[in-house]
Amino acid sequence: MRTTLTIDPDVRLLLERRMNERGLSFKEVVNGALRDGLLGAGEKGVFHTPTFALGEPLVPLDKALALAGELEDEELQRRLAARK
């Protein structure tokens, strides 16, 4: 089927890049991109976040939540005192 298609400049650059990378014609790249998009072939599986060992902590963390609560309480008291 022949049709006229208006392509945004950024999409044109993506298509041209794909043409150069794979040595394909414009028609092949457009048809492949449309097919992948419509069939969901471009969707990836499960995303994996890499993890890194950071070593031993420099401060004890066994009471970190209690410390965070105390700091939050102090900040609230400071803000309330500033209002008066």
Side-chain angles (χ1 to χ4, degrees), residues 4-6 9 12 16 18-20 22-23 27 31 37-38 45 48 56 58 61 71 73-74 76 79 82-83:
T4 300
L5 183 65
T6 303
R12 180 184 58 83
E16 288 175 354
R18 177 81 44 99
M19 289 168 57
N20 292 331
R22 299 187 181 176
K27 176 183 172 180
N31 282 321
L38 293 171
H48 174 72
E56 292 295 317
L58 300 176
L61 299 177
L71 292 172
D73 291 345
E74 289 175 9
L76 288 173
R79 286 183 184 179
R83 284 186 181 176

Side-chain angles (χ1 to χ4, degrees), residues 8-9 14 23 31 35 39 48 50 54 70 72-73 78 80:
D8 293 336
L14 293 171
N31 282 321
R35 191 174 293 111
L39 294 175
H48 174 72
L54 299 177
E70 289 175 20
E72 185 178 16
D73 291 345
R78 186 189 67 76
L80 288 172

Side-chain angles (χ1 to χ4, degrees), residues 19 22-35:
M19 289 168 57
R22 299 187 181 176
L24 300 173
S25 70
F26 181 76
K27 176 183 172 180
E28 291 170 319
V29 172
V30 170
N31 282 321
L34 288 171
R35 191 174 293 111

